[in-house]
Each structure stands twice: as structure tokens, then as C-alpha cells.
Amino acid sequence: MLALKNKTNFDWKLKYCKMKPQTQDISLKDLMVELFEENREVIFRHDTPDLKARRLIAFDEFKRTGFPHNKIENWRNTDLKRTLEASYQYYFEPTFRQGIDLQHIFRCDIPHLQTDMISQLNGWFISENGSLKKTRQGVIIGSLAAASQHYPELVSEWLGKLADNTRSGFVALNNAFATDGVFIYVPDNVQVEMPLQMVNIINHDREIFVQNHNLVILGKNSHLQLVQCDDSVDHQRSLVNTVTEVVVGENSILDHYKLQNKNDASTLINTVFFHLERDAKLSTNAITLNGGIIRNENYITLNGEGCDANIMGVYLVDKFQHVDNQVFVDHAKPNCTSNELFKGIVDDHARAVFNGHILVRKDAQKTSAYQNNKNILLTDKATVNSKPFLEIYADDVKCSHGATVGQLDQNAMFYLKSRGIGEVNARMLLMYAFAAEIINDIKIEPLRIRIDDMVKKRLRGELSICEQCVLHCSTMEKPVEFEIDLSKI
Amino acid sequence: MLSIKNLHVNIEGREIIKGLDLEVKAGEVHAIMGPNGTGKSTLASVIAGREGIYEITGGEISFKGKDLLDMPVEDRAREGIFLGFQYPVEIPGVSITNFMRTAINEIRQYKGLEPISAGDFLKKMEEAKNLVGIQSKLTNRSVNEGFSGGEKKKNEIFQMAMLQPELAILDETDSGLDIDALKIVANGVNALKTEANATVVITHYQRLLDYIVPDFVHVLFNGKIVKSGGKELALELEAKGYDWIKEDA
């Protein structure tokens, strides 16, 4: 049975804040700097000398830059002031809510979806079967902390190499602090049949700041389907800063999905660095259904000829929710294609931000790169900031970008209503149709069917966290019944 | 069935329909003809309940004795009014099948009926498709998306066959059709004709009326019906043009 130590190794900020009068404003940056200095031994405890050196470089970078703020161009529209003013607990050891039933909260309830589940609770890898496992095919799955001890050469070859400290203070801070996360290694010529599902659930009785770091390595000619879920199962405030480094080796294929269904008090900074070698194919799809502030940063380097990257996302936000998708595609080599499509429906006072940046380097001839961001605003209080951007130094390329922000098509609404369809279902049909373009691209069928259901529920205002999480939930879910059946026949 | 009395409609402050009267009874086919810009499409839109630019400044429209003007668009459809669009709208992502099933079930719900069974629905689809010669693959496509002009008009008649309205208003259904497509569309409308329903055909040309034979022909000019007659009036218009009407008016 899993050892559940609720050992609070560090309860520093709470004490600290209690000691200081409210008016004396200590920034989270200063607190993190002091926290690092005072816990060096704990942080470095599993590090090889070069990992330790990388942490120190990252720490210096964080000290220099601090947390992002609105004066930085690509943070102009995402305000973290309230997130960074809150008090958090920071833990250097696994920590959970007392008496939590892990099997219960990680139970996957997608019918027919067989996945190999990798569970993280509050950013810490948890498993009943040891912290690392190696399958018959040689696939290694487990905790990054354990992997860095048992496979130091595999880990240190890539860890921190892709996650560029200068991208943002969050990346540097994560590189400096994070000691655990998920490690996945797929050797050459291995087709992993069952999708891998990494689930990070935040569930704690304190307001916590979580930093985890994942490393995914695919060798040559391999194939992996990876589902990355971020959920909360309560309404507690949290700040999660996740960095994932992904290597897709020569001629390998990675299908990657991000499912995000978090409470409105949560902030998630989810940064993924993809590195593609020659002829590698990447498809990544971010599905955001709920969350206080969700920022997805994707850095994709096409580092060999013949690479193909599909970067997609769909977001459905309302109330005061905020979603921000940042995509940077680096066409470093010739003959690669990249295609970005992000679509969102923004309701109430919610805000959606999209920044797409495609860099085509001088030698990257015959590049095809497209980016598109389409939005529907349902109210005049909802906001979209969309900035597609191309930076091209090669002369023989095909590139395009576009962004649209609009309301539901009134001609289409009239057309639907003129056939007897009422306002509610007419809106539903149009909103669902808008999102379906992204959902239909999900290649794991049980997952697609499930997400399809989730989106319908979300559009009907019936989906919330706690009662219904994306892939698992604390209560048995009732079957979804629709007045109208939207499934295609 | 449909009764319009002294209807006045403005668009952006300009009077387009200036006191129009029309009576349509069950079992009748009416043709409304007239030069461009005389208010034909405005009349169709106002009956169907289009909001936005149309301002009804006077008169009344009733359908089966119920006041239409206070009725939302969807309720007019549920009561049995169907508008065949001059320019059918493309709706990417919504399949024709879902569209029709949703529409039929909402109409049934309005009438206090159970949702249609899958078997009945598929049977109905087959019949309607055959009526207008729609290939089955079309029905799995998004509504009107990428359809040719002829396919869009056939799709309107397909929807009419699915919904079986009591009153169909076909707004320039013949525009943009070649003669083969025109025959298919007209045959579809004729096949759906019963003693219990009525059709109002709005057209610029007499051509369609060779295939859909009207009981009454009305000439709409300058926002009013200035002349009404039998089907021979359409032939007279074809031969003499609209100028003599304008002079009379």
C-alpha cells in the first residue's frame, strides 16, 4: 500500500506571513529566493553534479528576471498580480490531504479507454507499484526523481536542455526548484499500444504552490499517445507551474493531448518544450474546459528535415476565467510543416489570449507554416487578445496567419430557428459545431467520445469541477442525456 | 390560413411594404411576382419572422387565426410555416441529419409529441432524399457547406419534405437553377402538395410557373399588390413585361 506521509517539511511562508504585518509587502519572488537558499540541501539531494549546476544557473536567472509581469510583451494580457499576491504553502516532500482515498480520485471513468495511468498528486509522482517500471518493450515509466538516480545518463542528457530559462521566470523557477514529476522513456522502434495518461490532481487542505517537471523521451521510429491531464477536485486556491520536456526522435510519432479542468481559484502555468528530430511527427491538442488562469506555453523546435507539427487547442471559458495559449514554432531546418489552429468560445467576463509566433530560420527553405485563431464572443464583456505573428528569414516558404473574433452567426441562427429550433438549441448547435473541428481530431476514440460529451455538457453549463472531472471523478457520473442528440450519424 | 391585412414594413426608416393585403387558404398555390426591389423578399422574411432590420409599422398577419407578429421565429416554424431561402445559409460543422432531427423533435415537442424514433426518422430521410434526388452522402455533410447553387435549393425542398409545413413560402427558389434542377425542385414541391397545405411561390420569372402551376398570381409593385389574377396573369407578364403594371400603378 502506498505510504502516505503527510509530513510538512516546510511551512515557511505561513509562519513568515503571520510574523509580518500586512502592510509590509514581501513579494513571492523574494520568498522563493529565500526558500531556495534555505533549502538547498533538500533540493539538491538527488542531483548529479551537472544537474546541480543547471539548477544554480536557473536560480540565478530567476533571481534576475523574477515572475513575469504585464510589461513583458507576451504577458501583456495575462495579469498574475492576484495569483502572485496570494499566500501559498510550498512543500519539498510529497504532501496530501489527510485520509484521502487515492484509488477513488484517480479512478478513470472513460468507458473503454484503456490507458496506463501515471498519477501525480499535488505534483508528486505516486504509485503502488514502485516509483519506476520497465515494460517488456523496454519502456520506462515512473518518477523523475527515481529516474535521475537509476538512469542518470538518460535523464541528464535532456533534463533542462530544452527548458530554456530565458523563456520566462516560471521556467527558470521550475528548473531551479522542481525535484519530481513524470519520466517516460520509449526506446527506438517501439510502438506503445496503450495510451499513457499523466494526471496531475491538486487536492490539498492548504493553498499550495506546486512545481513539477516531466521528461518524455521517444527514440527513433517509435510511437506514443500521451494524455496530460490537469485537474482539481476541490475549490482550494493553488498555483501550479509545470514544465514538460519532450524529445521526439527521428521518424517517431507523438500524439499529445492536454485536458484541463480546474477550479476557478487555480492558476496553471503549463509549459511544454517539444524537440523534433528528422521526419518526426507531433500532434498536440490542448482542451481547456475550466480554470481560473490557465496559461499554456508551447515551444516547438523542428530540428530536422521532414518534421510535421500540428498544434491545436480549444477553450471554453466563462465567468472570470482566463485562458492563454502561447505557441512558438521554430522552423530550424528545411522541408518542415507546422499547422496551428486554436478555437475558443468566450462567455461572460472571461478572457482568452492567443500569441502565435512562427520563426522560419534562414536555412529553413520549403517551410509550410500556418496559424489560425478563431474566437466566438458570447457577451460584450468577454475579451479576446489574439496575436498571430510570423518571423521569416527564408525566401522559399509558404506561411499564413489569421485571427477572427466574432459572435454567433446571426444568419445561421435565423436559418436554424426558421426550421423550428429554439434559441437554446440553435446556440448549442452552432457552438458545438465550432468546437467540433478540434475535437474531431482527437485520435484516441474513447477519449474523443468522452471529450465530445464533456464539451456538450460544458456548453450546456452542466460541467463543473468536483462533480465531474475530465477523466475521473469523486462521484459516479450520471449518463448524459441530451434533449437533442448531437452525435453524427 | 394566412391572412395579411394592410401590412406596412420599414427598413432603416424607408417604407418598403406600403399597405399589403393577402389571403391564402389551405390547398391553394399563390405566386407573387414583381420587379426587383419591390418588397417580395421583405414580405417572405417578415412572414417567417426575421428580426433586425425589419420594422413593422402597421397592419397585421395572422396564421390559422393566431397573431404571427408577436410570435418568435421558431414558434412560427413549429406552427407550420416554412421559408425556402433565396440564399440558403452555410453552417459548417452542423450535419444536415442533426439539423433535421433537432428541428423535427423540437416541432414535435411543441405539439406535445414524443421524439421521432430512429427508424421513422431514417425512413423519412430516405423518402425526402429520393424526392429531390439528393445523394445520401450529402446528408452527412455540413448544412449547405460547399454546396452548389442547385444543391442548396434542392436541400431547401428536402427540408420542406422533412418538416411537412402547412404553409411553404418559397423565396426565389428558381434563381440560379438550370432547367433540370428547376424541374426537380418543382416536382418536389408538387409532390408535397395536399388539400391541407398551401404554397406561396415568390419569383421574378414566369419560368418556374410552367412547373408549379399557381391558382392565383399577384403582382407586387412599390410595396403593394397592384394586380391579382389567375395563372394567365403570369403569361401576360411574361409577354408584356412589368412596365404596363407600373403605368397602371
Side-chain angles (χ1 to χ4, degrees):
Chain A
M1 193 52 206
L2 194 84
L4 278 186
K5 273 194 290 182
N6 196 353
K7 184 177 163 196
T8 306
N9 190 51
F10 202 80
D11 211 332
W12 182 79
K13 185 166 182 201
L14 184 75
K15 289 179 200 157
Y16 204 101
C17 288
K18 277 182 178 166
M19 282 156 59
K20 297 278 177 186
Q22 286 279 307
T23 47
Q24 206 164 339
D25 198 7
I26 305 272
S27 74
L28 189 59
K29 179 195 169 185
D30 294 342
L31 289 170
M32 294 312 291
V33 168
E34 284 184 45
L35 194 57
F36 187 88
E37 297 290 4
E38 291 177 16
N39 289 275
R40 277 167 175 265
E41 278 175 32
V42 186
I43 295 170
F44 295 155
R45 66 191 185 272
H46 299 309
D47 286 355
T48 57
D50 61 324
L51 284 183
K52 183 178 163 185
R54 277 180 223 168
R55 274 192 205 284
L56 290 169
I57 293 169
F59 178 60
D60 284 343
E61 181 64 23
F62 177 74
K63 269 202 292 193
R64 199 176 66 76
T65 55
F67 286 101
H69 49 77
N70 287 72
K71 300 228 163 56
I72 298 171
E73 176 60 25
N74 64 359
W75 283 91
R76 221 152 51 100
N77 299 308
T78 295
D79 187 357
L80 293 177
K81 199 162 169 280
R82 285 179 63 190
T83 296
L84 298 178
E85 277 172 1
S87 298
Y88 300 98
Q89 307 299 309
Y90 198 94
Y91 297 96
F92 290 98
E93 286 205 343
T95 168
F96 315 108
R97 189 189 287 274
Q98 290 280 15
I100 191 165
D101 180 350
L102 291 177
Q103 285 189 334
H104 197 54
I105 66 168
F106 281 100
R107 183 175 52 81
C108 179
D109 69 344
I110 303 183
H112 317 300
L113 178 60
Q114 300 229 317
T115 60
D116 217 339
M117 173 110 68
I118 309 162
S119 310
Q120 287 172 280
L121 186 57
N122 303 325
W124 299 95
F125 180 88
I126 53 169
S127 169
E128 293 179 24
N129 309 315
S131 51
L132 272 177
K133 71 168 183 181
K134 191 168 185 176
T135 70
R136 272 182 301 152
Q137 290 178 304
V139 177
I140 302 166
I141 300 165
S143 134
L144 181 65
S148 57
Q149 291 172 64
H150 290 91
Y151 304 98
E153 67 297 335
L154 270 181
V155 171
S156 67
E157 186 185 350
W158 288 107
L159 189 68
K161 296 280 178 69
L162 305 179
D164 181 354
N165 290 317
T166 62
R167 286 295 177 190
S168 96
F170 278 107
V171 176
L173 188 68
N174 183 292
N175 278 337
F177 271 80
T179 54
D180 200 11
V182 169
F183 176 75
I184 297 168
Y185 172 72
V186 181
D188 293 352
N189 307 309
V190 170
Q191 320 297 309
V192 183
E193 276 177 25
M194 213 183 272
L196 291 184
Q197 189 185 350
M198 353 183 332
V199 182
N200 188 15
I201 292 183
I202 302 303
N203 179 262
H204 206 276
D205 38 21
R206 297 279 181 79
E207 303 195 337
I208 54 172
F209 181 10
V210 168
Q211 300 197 80
N212 55 333
H213 196 114
N214 308 312
L215 177 60
V216 179
I217 303 169
L218 268 82
K220 294 178 185 172
N221 309 312
S222 293
H223 180 212
L224 177 68
Q225 293 180 312
L226 181 63
V227 186
Q228 184 179 5
C229 308
D230 277 291
D231 294 86
S232 40
V233 288
D234 58 23
H235 292 279
Q236 190 74 272
R237 179 197 293 275
S238 63
L239 169 57
V240 178
N241 176 25
T242 300
V243 170
T244 306
E245 297 178 272
V246 182
V247 183
V248 188
E250 191 177 313
N251 202 37
S252 281
I253 299 170
L254 174 67
D255 278 336
H256 175 251
Y257 302 93
K258 270 192 282 199
L259 307 181
Q260 300 165 331
N261 196 33
K262 294 179 66 77
N263 72 39
D264 290 349
S266 60
T267 298
L268 169 67
I269 313 292
N270 187 328
T271 308
V272 187
F273 294 87
F274 294 99
H275 176 94
L276 274 69
E277 295 289 2
R278 190 187 176 95
D279 294 321
K281 287 189 170 46
L282 165 72
S283 167
T284 177
N285 195 338
I287 298 131
T288 307
L289 299 174
N290 276 298
I293 295 175
I294 290 188
R295 166 125 167 162
N296 288 308
E297 294 195 17
N298 293 290
Y299 298 94
I300 295 137
T301 305
L302 307 177
N303 199 46
E305 287 196 41
C307 290
D308 178 39
N310 255 304
I311 308 112
M312 284 161 288
V314 62
Y315 41 91
L316 311 171
V317 283
D318 60 4
K319 291 170 280 183
F320 285 90
Q321 295 178 339
H322 182 107
V323 61
D324 180 349
N325 282 292
Q326 305 272 327
V327 182
F328 176 73
V329 182
D330 182 352
H331 278 264
K333 293 283 156 59
N335 293 309
C336 293
T337 57
S338 69
N339 196 355
E340 283 169 46
L341 178 61
F342 282 77
K343 296 182 93 171
I345 301 173
V346 188
D347 201 354
D348 300 335
H349 289 74
R351 176 180 267 201
V353 180
F354 174 80
N355 270 342
H357 182 174
I358 293 173
L359 168 64
V360 182
R361 292 184 192 265
K362 198 161 171 251
D363 296 332
Q365 300 294 2
K366 306 282 181 194
T367 287
S368 296
Y370 307 99
Q371 59 183 189
N372 209 334
N373 174 224
K374 298 179 181 177
N375 296 280
I376 290 179
L377 288 181
L378 294 180
T379 69
D380 56 4
K381 298 282 191 289
T383 312
V384 168
N385 303 97
S386 183
K387 197 179 123 191
F389 178 60
L390 300 171
E391 185 183 355
I392 302 171
Y393 298 101
D395 51 17
D396 184 13
V397 300
K398 274 188 241 168
C399 294
S400 73
H401 61 170
T404 58
V405 179
Q407 282 82 40
L408 287 176
D409 180 351
Q410 288 308 307
N411 284 328
M413 282 294 285
F414 176 64
Y415 195 68
L416 295 173
K417 285 182 180 180
S418 78
R419 301 304 185 239
I421 299 174
E423 173 84 19
V424 171
N425 279 340
R427 284 168 68 100
M428 273 283 298
L429 275 171
L430 293 182
M431 289 193 290
Y432 173 74
F434 180 78
E437 188 181 357
I438 303 289
I439 296 153
N440 289 340
D441 211 77
I442 297 174
K443 294 175 193 77
I444 306 169
E445 193 175 338
L447 182 67
R448 181 171 52 70
I449 293 166
R450 173 66 171 171
I451 297 300
D452 202 62
D453 257 16
M454 307 285 303
V455 167
K456 287 170 197 162
K457 266 191 175 174
R458 181 70 178 89
L459 292 173
R460 293 174 72 91
E462 290 170 3
L463 179 77
S464 61
I465 66 113
C466 283
E467 295 97 44
Q468 286 114 4
C469 287
V470 172
L471 296 175
H472 40 74
C473 60
S474 50
T475 52
M476 262 319 270
E477 205 167 305
K478 283 181 289 184
V480 192
E481 300 222 357
F482 290 99
E483 283 162 34
I484 54 168
D485 185 355
L486 291 161
S487 62
K488 308 233 160 156
I489 60 169
Chain B
M1 181 181 273
L2 179 74
S3 172
I4 302 177
K5 291 196 176 101
N6 194 28
L7 182 70
H8 290 260
V9 181
N10 282 8
I11 296 179
E12 288 165 354
R14 204 160 62 89
E15 192 165 47
I16 303 297
I17 291 181
K18 306 169 180 174
L20 183 143
D21 297 285
L22 182 66
E23 292 286 333
V24 178
K25 294 190 177 66
E28 295 176 349
V29 176
H30 289 245
I32 295 178
M33 303 185 71
N36 285 331
T38 53
K40 299 193 299 292
S41 288
T42 299
L43 177 63
S45 295
V46 166
I47 297 170
R50 177 148 217 164
E51 287 144 11
I53 59 170
Y54 303 105
E55 189 197 348
I56 290 149
T57 53
E60 54 192 70
I61 305 177
S62 66
F63 180 63
K64 297 187 294 185
K66 291 180 185 168
D67 180 12
L68 267 196
L69 292 178
D70 287 334
M71 210 183 269
V73 182
E74 57 269 34
D75 283 352
R76 299 184 197 202
R78 293 162 182 170
E79 286 287 344
I81 292 176
F82 177 89
L83 174 63
F85 281 58
Q86 183 176 5
Y87 303 109
V89 182
E90 296 194 14
I91 311 181
V94 177
S95 76
I96 297 169
T97 308
N98 279 334
F99 174 35
M100 281 296 102
R101 195 162 49 182
T102 308
I104 285 174
N105 282 337
E106 285 217 29
I107 292 167
R108 290 177 67 90
Q109 190 185 13
Y110 182 79
K111 293 177 174 168
L113 300 171
E114 290 291 303
I116 190 167
S117 73
D120 287 352
F121 180 74
L122 288 174
K123 195 165 151 248
K124 211 172 175 151
M125 288 270 290
E126 278 311 305
E127 288 167 4
K129 279 192 294 193
N130 290 336
L131 185 72
V132 285
I134 285 183
Q135 305 299 315
S136 58
K137 61 179 187 204
L138 268 191
T139 50
N140 287 327
R141 279 171 52 187
S142 294
V143 177
N144 293 324
E145 191 185 27
F147 284 22
S148 71
E151 283 172 335
K152 282 181 182 169
K153 295 298 172 74
K154 280 188 206 172
N155 190 25
E156 293 294 290
I157 306 305
F158 164 79
Q159 292 173 38
M160 180 177 156
M162 291 298 289
L163 303 177
Q164 293 175 313
E166 289 174 59
L167 174 67
I169 300 156
L170 305 176
D171 186 10
E172 305 266 3
T173 295
D174 51 333
S175 66
L177 291 186
D178 62 33
I179 194 72
D180 292 331
L182 184 72
K183 278 184 192 167
I184 291 171
V185 163
N187 288 341
V189 173
N190 290 333
L192 295 169
K193 188 81 216 65
T194 69
E195 281 305 307
N197 63 23
T199 311
V200 175
V201 180
I202 292 174
T203 183
H204 185 73
Y205 302 106
Q206 132 78 17
R207 192 178 65 153
L208 178 66
L209 304 181
D210 289 340
Y211 302 96
I212 301 173
V213 180
D215 301 306
F216 301 95
V217 174
H218 311 277
V219 180
L220 185 59
F221 179 70
N222 200 18
K224 277 184 181 173
I225 287 176
V226 293
K227 200 165 182 59
S228 294
K231 61 186 174 193
E232 65 288 344
L233 177 58
L235 296 170
E236 200 177 347
L237 288 167
E238 182 77 355
K240 292 160 71 177
Y242 286 111
D243 286 349
W244 64 283
I245 298 275
K246 291 179 190 173
E247 281 158 23
D248 281 9

